[in-house]
Amino acid sequence: MSNAAKQITPPAIPDALQSVRSDFPILQRQVHGKPLVYLDNAASTQKPQQVIDAITRYYSQENANIHRGVHLLSTEATGAYENARGKIARFLNAESDSEIVFTRGATESVNLVAHSFVEPMLKKGDEILISAMEHHANIVPWQLLCERVGATLKVIPVTDDADLDLSNIDELLTERTKFFSIVWVSNAIGTVNDIQPLLNKAKALGVPTLVDAAQAVQHQPVDLQALGCDFLIFSGHKVYGPTGIGALYGKAERLAAMRPYQGGGDMISHVSFEGTTFKEPPSRFEAGTPHIEGAIGLGVAIDYLSAVGLETIHAYETDLVEHAVARLSEIPGVRIIGHPKVRSGAISFTMGEAHPHDIGTVLDTEGVAIRTGHHCCEPLMHRLGVPATARASFSLYNTPADVDALVAALKKVSILFA
């Protein structure tokens, strides 16, 4: 979407999205006597009935541990779990199913890479590069790692418009850089970073890369083989799947060279008191009994997204967010935070003297659910000169009518805080 707010005419809902709202039972409920308008999708998306049914079916018909039993239920559960892994691999165009590791989510994925891949090769004086746009899960693990080994954390700055400031990138991404981790889409502002040139530059320097795609994979097609990153992460609950499940993609040669993250359960090959050998990836990184129903539910969520079509979702959501920016820009007192060259999914704003928490509370009384606060991005908030914002974030089931409800509720905020 362009920087300028242009689209006052609401976008038409494409045929493929006409009936999706009926798949999400929670969208039928009321909040404080008003129809629910859910605009907190960057925090977590709602779940279609197909995902809910898959989890219910697992517990009512298939429940058993995986990779352990020879009985039918264990065989069926193992098949469903591994089938979900294959769905994610195809969804992202990975070269192999074994390049997908199930984790608890994006945060655990970053910590796994920091512990098992980066730490063994890092030494005092080395550098790790991230950006000022990262959320805490892509900051704190690298800070802790740098503290442990005496390395330095470098940060790509952000412009006043909330785009990456790449004016000094040649001084930041150098032969001294040992790892580069970058967010694709900002959860706080909605900035879509042009990551391909940065990944290409890192690759030319021999620097391994991680892409935080937690706010990207639900909004746009992803082709890992074209992207060429070493690692990519996302969380299941933000792509219409269950909570507590996520995925780490790692190139096969990277995963094969990594030490285990946790020990125990089905990740071992042989154990004696003299020592232990470990299975090949991805099993090596899935210690203990995994989140079986979560993986199965995530696989069904991927099916759902694929059936609708990411190209269709991307085009519609882009127009809807552009329409929402235009409508919000018309409300006296609303200040949209950040004007990135390309935006996806989220809009952050403040409103006159009203505290963002007050905005969120008033909107809640109108049935409109948004997020308020620093969005786990305190450094970015400081850079943009605000302690907190109100954030409306969109998904495939949102409509122009939801934007109308948001605008109407914000006008009530204007009256209350005039």
Side-chain angles (χ1 to χ4, degrees), residues 125-363:
D126 287 342
E127 296 178 357
I128 294 173
L129 181 62
I130 60 173
S131 84
M133 203 181 294
E134 310 302 325
H135 66 111
H136 298 165
N138 201 26
I139 299 174
V140 179
W142 307 119
Q143 287 177 327
L144 294 172
L145 175 55
C146 286
E147 289 173 5
R148 289 199 295 273
V149 303
T152 301
L153 187 65
K154 294 281 189 173
V155 180
I156 300 172
V158 169
T159 69
D160 291 342
D161 286 336
D163 281 313
L164 293 179
D165 179 356
L166 301 176
S167 58
N168 63 340
I169 188 63
D170 290 335
E171 299 171 15
L172 292 170
L173 184 55
T174 70
E175 288 82 1
R176 295 187 301 277
T177 310
K178 300 305 176 187
F179 196 75
F180 176 45
S181 187
I182 186 72
V183 63
W184 198 342
V185 178
S186 164
N187 69 310
I189 304 298
T191 302
V192 181
N193 290 316
D194 184 11
I195 59 171
Q196 190 67 70
L198 294 172
L199 296 175
N200 293 345
K201 179 177 175 62
K203 187 174 183 178
L205 292 169
V207 178
T209 54
L210 182 148
V211 173
D212 176 0
Q215 301 291 340
V217 295
Q218 65 275 53
H219 297 304
Q220 61 191 46
V222 175
D223 184 342
L224 281 169
Q225 296 186 50
L227 204 58
C229 57
D230 294 279
F231 301 97
L232 182 139
I233 63 169
F234 72 92
S235 295
H237 70 99
K238 295 180 179 178
V239 294
Y240 311 98
T243 58
I245 188 73
L248 162 67
Y249 156 79
K251 281 186 176 178
E253 62 269 29
R254 298 300 193 191
L255 293 178
M258 288 164 57
R259 64 188 185 187
Y261 177 51
Q262 298 174 322
D266 197 49
M267 50 81 74
I268 60 97
S269 181
H270 300 286
V271 176
S272 72
F273 287 112
E274 287 69 40
T276 299
T277 57
F278 305 103
K279 287 184 175 178
E280 294 298 314
S283 298
R284 183 184 304 173
F285 305 108
E286 296 178 1
T289 297
H291 188 2
I292 303 169
E293 76 278 19
I296 294 170
L298 176 55
V300 173
I302 295 299
D303 286 340
Y304 188 87
L305 276 174
S306 300
V308 175
L310 262 296
E311 295 284 359
T312 299
I313 293 169
H314 177 67
Y316 172 67
E317 288 182 346
T318 298
D319 288 345
L320 185 64
V321 171
E322 185 175 1
H323 174 64
V325 169
R327 293 293 311 279
L328 292 179
S329 300
E330 293 181 327
I331 302 174
V334 167
R335 175 193 170 208
I336 294 177
I337 306 300
H339 298 280
K341 295 183 179 70
V342 184
R343 187 196 300 271
S344 176
I347 306 167
S348 259
F349 59 94
T350 59
M351 193 169 185
E353 298 300 317
H355 191 282
H357 289 179
D358 293 329
I359 298 172
T361 299
V362 174
L363 263 57

Side-chain angles (χ1 to χ4, degrees), residues 26 52 54 89 120 137 164 166 191 214 259 262 311 320 326 364 381 386 389 392 402 406 409-410:
I26 201 169
I52 298 168
L164 293 179
L166 301 176
T191 302
R259 64 188 185 187
Q262 298 174 322
E311 295 284 359
L320 185 64
D364 180 56
M381 294 291 110
V386 289
T389 71
D402 291 339
L406 171 65
L410 287 174

